[in-house]
Amino acid sequence: METRIRPIDESSLAEAKAILENGGVVAFPTETVYGLGGDARSDEAVDTIYRVKGRPADNPLIVHVHREYDLKTLICDEQPYAAKLRSRFLPGPLTLVYRSRGKVSAKVSCGLDTLAVRVPSHPGAQRFLRCVDMPIAAPSANVSKHVSPVTAEHVYTDLQGRIPLILDGGACIGGIESTVCDVTGDIPVVLREGLISREQIADVVGRCELYVPVAGAQVRSPGMKYKHYAPACKTYLFAADAVEEAVQKFCSCEEEGAKVFALCENSVSRRFPADRVLNLGDTGEEMAARLYALLRRGEQVADVIVAVRPRGEDGIMAGVQNRLGKACAGE
Ligand code: AMP
Ligand code: MG
């Protein structure tokens, strides 16, 4: 299959619509990462999404809709606080998990009685969703467990030959995935941290919990149990206060003949050779926006990435730290 990258215009949107109406899938940009979308009502389309990505069959998908879409057709009654969250943060990088009406393929939620819904703010995503006017099931448009794609070229690298069309909306400005928040209970529970912070949600609702998996219990956000976002090269991750150890690791790997790059925040970058730094920048927003592009660049140029955690755990940094930890899991 030939994979074409096309800018978003009337002609490419008409092509996307025709593909989706025939049970196929297309990649499209959002403000977080690129998505791999198919008709959420179609078992065939949802099967194709799982197959193309090599995604585990028990990791449910998020359904994307345009801003005028009537959510009530997809979900059961919502808590008053959920309506508040919608009006404050949507369209935007917040996914809300509701009780499902069961109007989409059961494969979307892997048999759970809930449905994760998102209204992306990216103008290209909104244009695409309005044009097709159907609920679009979409995980990130990468091969499962690889780094999420933040450009059309990243999607092409992973899915070339497996999908017919990539709608190109430029580089994603958010850079990490949406916050996933369960709104089925009395208070919101964050299942996956992301661009909208727990603090921001608590500001609107008064309270917000973070889901912590309990050993032996059923996992509420199945996706979180998998290794994720990993570059193809070897990685080592050091704590923010272990810069000396990171420098030593950098040197010892280099002495062994490896091409080593350091991934770190700007203030730490001067501890490494300037031409060997993947620079996350200074602010949480910069770090989120750059992280995946740097991991993908790193796997192309380096044998080894020595990563140093940036400082900060709150706000958007919770999501950045989570993704960095998963990308470098185990080492
Ligand atoms: P991805 O599309 O790869 O960014 O992953 C989607 C995330 O949303 C995963 O962490 C899923 O576990 C989570 N998710 C999707 N649907 C549900 C749902 N119905 N209940 C809980 N988590 C969900
Ligand atoms: Mg993903």
Side-chain angles (χ1 to χ4, degrees), residues 13-64:
L13 288 174
E15 185 187 347
K17 187 171 186 190
I19 292 168
L20 293 172
E21 284 173 349
N22 282 303
V25 298
V26 303
F28 65 100
T30 79
E31 70 277 21
T32 60
V33 304
Y34 272 71
L36 176 64
D39 183 348
R41 301 162 304 183
S42 157
D43 285 346
E44 182 195 352
V46 175
D47 278 340
T48 303
I49 292 171
Y50 281 96
R51 194 184 64 245
V52 161
K53 278 189 61 109
R55 184 174 174 102
D58 65 347
N59 187 3
L61 305 178
I62 295 170
V63 167
H64 295 64

Side-chain angles (χ1 to χ4, degrees), residues 198-276:
R198 239 187 321 149
E199 293 86 339
Q200 283 175 289
I201 294 173
D203 270 351
V204 173
V205 180
R207 280 184 72 187
C208 178
E209 284 181 356
L210 177 64
Y211 170 65
V212 183
V214 180
Q218 194 194 11
V219 189
R220 275 172 72 180
S221 184
M224 298 309 284
K225 67 177 185 250
Y226 291 106
K227 181 177 162 88
H228 257 106
Y229 322 117
C233 60
K234 199 167 178 53
T235 53
Y236 294 97
L237 178 60
F238 290 85
D241 60 4
V243 180
E244 289 316 320
E245 289 88 331
V247 171
Q248 275 170 26
K249 188 69 178 176
F250 185 100
C251 296
S252 68
C253 288
E254 210 168 41
E255 275 160 26
E256 288 164 15
K259 183 129 195 198
V260 195
F261 276 72
L263 176 72
C264 58
E265 65 184 313
N266 190 36
S267 61
V268 173
S269 65
R270 66 182 74 94
R271 301 295 312 275
F272 300 96
D275 61 346
R276 291 300 182 80

Side-chain angles (χ1 to χ4, degrees), residues 65-141:
V65 293
H66 61 75
R67 59 191 305 170
E68 285 88 30
Y69 197 92
D70 186 5
L71 270 186
K72 291 196 291 294
T73 61
L74 298 176
I75 58 156
C76 300
D77 287 349
E78 71 178 345
Q79 305 270 0
Y81 74 78
K84 276 198 207 167
L85 289 175
R86 266 196 303 115
S87 66
R88 171 68 185 80
F89 296 115
L90 302 191
L94 177 65
T95 297
L96 297 175
V97 175
Y98 293 98
R99 296 251 164 262
S100 176
R101 272 193 196 283
K103 298 294 182 203
V104 298
S105 164
K107 297 179 177 205
V108 167
S109 294
C110 308
L112 298 172
D113 61 357
T114 51
L115 185 67
V117 186
R118 172 159 131 69
V119 185
S121 62
H122 189 289
Q126 278 294 319
R127 242 184 115 182
F128 162 68
L129 292 166
R130 255 199 309 274
C131 169
V132 301
D133 198 27
M134 54 172 96
I136 294 293
S140 50

